[in-house]
Amino acid sequence: RIGVAAEHKLSNGLVGFAKGEFKVDISNNGDFGEARKAYVGIKGDFGRVALGKQWSPHYNIVAEATDIFNNRSSPFGYDEASPFRTNQMVTYSYSNGGFKLDAGLQFNGDAENSAGGDNSQANNTEQVDSGSIGVSYRFGDFYLGASYLDQQLDVDDERDFRAVAGSWKVSKDFYLAVTYQAVSY
């Protein structure tokens, strides 16, 4: 992969930013493409707004706690269960102390999870519209989060995700976490 990142201070305490991570296939004449992440945005005291392919707010709130190895394409990885990195997405994020709010809207995106895992539940649609919102709170060594995600896959196809997560860093070398997710089709 090759990555680029940039930030630029604007007026009134605003910061513009951009990030891109792209696959380079050395075994295929160095073909360049397939974005892992590619987004632009602006941030300030109000929070952060970004547009492009980025982590799903649903993933940020509920899966990140348990997907600590980010085991891409593993039959036990989170990317088999619901959205991972998501294209065509507008996100809003706000953090204050231990509190975090993440929200996102996806328009005419791709139903695949983008991590290279099993997409059999994506229904092979040509486009997806979705909305996601989640809140979390981190206090000391404890974390709690809850998220809701709705995906409109086709005219009559829809998936809803309701999930909660929690974690506890017991010691320097021991970490406990759980994610519960209810998915309806």
Side-chain angles (χ1 to χ4, degrees), residues 6-114:
E7 276 194 4
H8 182 71
K9 289 183 182 179
L10 307 170
S11 61
N12 299 326
L14 298 176
V15 176
F17 60 89
K19 186 168 191 172
E21 294 178 14
F22 304 93
K23 179 180 178 180
V24 179
D25 188 352
I26 300 299
S27 66
N28 194 19
N29 292 323
D31 285 353
F32 180 80
E34 192 177 321
R36 181 175 182 262
K37 293 188 284 186
Y39 57 87
V40 298
I42 192 165
K43 60 185 176 181
D45 292 338
F46 64 90
R48 172 188 184 273
V49 175
L51 171 66
K53 185 173 187 177
Q54 53 199 304
W55 293 106
S56 152
H58 185 71
Y59 180 88
N60 287 342
I61 296 294
V62 298
E64 194 170 41
T66 51
D67 194 24
I68 59 174
F69 298 114
N70 188 13
N71 50 354
R72 175 186 160 148
S73 301
S74 159
F76 308 109
Y78 182 80
D79 50 310
E80 299 294 328
S82 67
F84 198 57
R85 287 181 293 272
T86 307
N87 69 343
Q88 306 286 34
M89 179 165 272
V90 177
T91 60
Y92 171 73
S93 184
Y94 176 78
S95 297
N96 187 359
F99 173 79
K100 182 176 184 180
L101 167 72
D102 256 10
L105 294 172
Q106 180 186 29
F107 302 98
N108 296 325
D110 189 344
E112 292 187 15
N113 61 38
S114 82

Side-chain angles (χ1 to χ4, degrees), residues 119-174:
N119 295 302
S120 62
Q121 298 300 320
N123 299 337
N124 297 320
T125 60
E126 292 184 19
Q127 64 89 29
V128 63
D129 294 329
S130 70
S132 177
I133 188 162
V135 294
S136 67
Y137 193 75
R138 183 174 302 281
F139 45 102
D141 293 330
F142 296 94
Y143 172 86
L144 291 173
S147 180
Y148 174 75
L149 168 68
D150 177 75
Q151 287 184 320
Q152 188 67 43
L153 301 171
D154 270 330
V155 175
D156 295 322
D157 259 345
E158 186 173 356
R159 293 194 298 183
D160 291 316
F161 300 79
R162 291 169 185 82
V164 293
S167 69
W168 175 32
K169 185 175 180 182
V170 179
S171 71
K172 178 183 163 211
D173 300 320
F174 190 62

